[in-house]
Amino acid sequence: MYTSEISLAPPYSFERLLRRLETHPDPQLLVDVQEGTLRRVFRVGSRPILVSLQFQGSMEEPVIRLRAESTLSETEQQLLEKTVRHMFSADLDLAPIYDHMRGQQPLVILTERFRGLRPFLDSDLFQCMVKTIIGQQINLVFAASLTERLLELAGDTLQDEEGRVFMAFPTEEAVARLEPDDLRPLQFSQRKAEYIIDYARAIVNGTVDLDRVWQMEDEEIISYLTSLRGIGRWTVECLMMFGMGRPDLLPAADIGLRNGIHMVYGLAEKPDEKEIRRIGEDWAPWRSVCSLYIWEAVGAVRRKEVWE
DNA sequence: GCCCAGGATATCG
DNA sequence: CGATATCATGGG
């Protein structure tokens, strides 16, 4: 066993993260609201390890207590800690973003209501891309259930000491070995099955090198990855936002974002993509967190949190 | 039955 | 070039 404490930049609202997870289910996460704990499997190197992350401290002094159910080498400890810090946007400074948002009337209430909410990122780019492709055009609940079925089909299974079952996200190789006919019974569309498998094969055979994108500008990444069939601009924007934690993305084609801006800005009609990009210009260079908060306004309504 | 969900593509005119 | 049909499924 290995434990450590990870300090995050304040403010961090664990409560807001938990609320968000209600409407954005992640089949890899076992959430225990009572304990304030998230449990899931991480691949450290290639080894799947069960980890529990417990929220401690407070909004202004946030700490996560990490507990791995295996002994870890020093390298593995550092790798795991780095991944967790990445997932929780541990080093993101929200203060200048809130200052910027407070300059725009419709966003003020969001900074108050969702104070301390940070991007909750995927642990790696491969699974972020697969989950984003799965999420194209369908609702979040259906997307989560497709992802869960993919985990059951091709992921590795672990059990904790209480006998609870955890599934690790399938490796690139495991997805690359699938055929569309394996995914069709899981209710993937034929095309979506092809997109995901083709993508995994491109990673495995080296046609695409995800490690390279960290050195690229946003627009470079978009042109690099949209060359793959089934991966459009929206998908890469989501990858940069939820996989890489890039600060200035606006997935303007997103239906949820359109609905959210419609609501938050009190517009007469639903804005189109061009209108979204126009409104979003005022959010630069922090369009990612602004988008997240707009989405969260939609989530709050869906969860029947008070809204006016 | 119809429309919408955190889209992308093929195929029109 | 822009507009349109197609894809799968579940919920309202």
Side-chain angles (χ1 to χ4, degrees):
Chain A
M1 191 179 75
Y2 165 73
T3 65
S4 73
E5 286 192 353
I6 298 176
S7 306
L8 312 176
Y12 197 109
S13 172
F14 297 127
E15 188 187 342
R16 271 297 147 201
L17 173 58
L18 292 175
R19 296 308 297 270
R20 180 167 171 78
L21 289 172
E22 290 174 22
T23 39
H24 297 69
D26 178 346
Q28 287 188 87
L29 277 185
L30 178 64
V31 181
D32 188 326
V33 176
Q34 294 290 338
E35 291 181 348
T37 304
L38 305 180
R39 292 186 173 81
R40 60 159 276 182
V41 177
F42 288 85
R43 288 188 195 279
V44 184
S46 61
R47 190 155 71 111
I49 290 170
L50 180 58
V51 175
S52 97
L53 303 162
Q54 184 171 38
F55 304 147
Q56 298 186 336
S58 62
M59 175 90 102
E60 303 307 327
E61 287 186 39
V63 174
I64 290 174
R65 181 152 188 82
L66 181 157
R67 186 187 136 109
E69 301 293 330
S70 335
T71 54
L72 303 177
S73 73
E74 193 145 335
T75 310
E76 289 174 326
Q77 293 172 17
Q78 287 170 4
L79 204 55
L80 178 58
E81 193 160 318
K82 187 180 168 196
T83 302
V84 172
R85 296 190 68 80
H86 173 73
M87 283 185 76
F88 285 83
S89 302
D91 300 311
L92 176 66
D93 185 6
L94 286 174
I97 304 179
Y98 287 162
D99 284 345
H100 187 68
M101 290 172 74
R102 278 191 285 266
Q104 292 155 73
Q105 192 38 239
L107 302 184
V108 174
I109 188 170
L110 303 182
T111 67
E112 294 164 359
R113 191 177 296 273
F114 303 139
R115 181 177 142 77
L117 175 69
R118 286 156 190 271
F120 186 63
L121 306 182
D122 268 298
S123 52
D124 70 77
L125 296 186
F126 174 70
Q127 59 176 281
C128 183
M129 183 68 100
V130 171
K131 284 161 63 180
T132 306
I133 295 172
I134 289 175
Q136 290 169 355
Q137 206 267 335
I138 58 176
N139 67 69
L140 293 169
V141 176
F142 183 36
S145 97
L146 291 181
T147 302
E148 184 170 18
R149 292 171 200 165
L150 176 64
L151 294 182
E152 289 166 352
L153 180 71
D156 303 292
T157 301
L158 264 71
Q159 274 188 35
D160 69 2
E161 67 275 10
E162 296 176 44
R164 290 176 297 205
V165 175
F166 294 83
M167 285 173 295
F169 202 88
T171 61
E172 292 86 334
E173 289 78 9
V175 178
R177 278 193 294 270
L178 297 175
E179 295 294 336
D181 280 349
D182 298 318
L183 295 180
R184 296 288 289 125
L186 312 188
Q187 296 176 310
F188 284 66
S189 66
Q190 176 69 27
R191 283 207 296 237
K192 202 169 274 190
E194 291 167 6
Y195 296 165
I196 291 164
I197 293 168
D198 288 351
Y199 166 70
R201 290 177 181 172
I203 300 296
V204 169
N205 70 27
T207 307
V208 170
D209 182 358
L210 284 182
D211 293 333
R212 281 180 50 194
V213 305
W214 297 98
Q215 323 301 331
M216 296 181 177
E217 301 291 330
D218 290 358
E219 287 301 326
E220 282 183 83
I221 300 175
I222 289 176
S223 56
Y224 181 51
L225 294 177
T226 53
S227 64
L228 298 171
R229 183 166 170 267
I231 297 176
R233 187 181 183 98
W234 175 89
T235 302
V236 184
E237 287 171 335
C238 288
L239 180 83
M240 292 190 284
M241 202 166 155
F242 292 111
M244 304 179 72
R246 292 269 170 115
D248 197 26
L249 274 305
L250 178 72
D254 187 273
I255 185 66
L257 203 54
R258 290 179 60 197
N259 291 335
I261 290 177
H262 185 197
M263 176 177 73
V264 172
Y265 278 71
L267 304 178
E269 53 189 71
K270 216 190 264 192
D272 62 12
E273 185 168 342
K274 195 175 152 198
E275 176 72 358
I276 298 289
R277 293 204 187 278
R278 194 190 63 73
I279 291 172
E281 283 173 20
D282 291 336
W283 304 351
W286 308 114
R287 281 175 277 204
S288 295
V289 168
C290 294
S291 298
L292 174 66
Y293 278 43
I294 293 279
W295 267 319
E296 198 53 12
V298 179
V301 169
R302 195 165 296 158
R303 295 188 299 264
K304 301 192 190 328
E305 292 179 29
V306 187
W307 194 264
E308 46 209 284

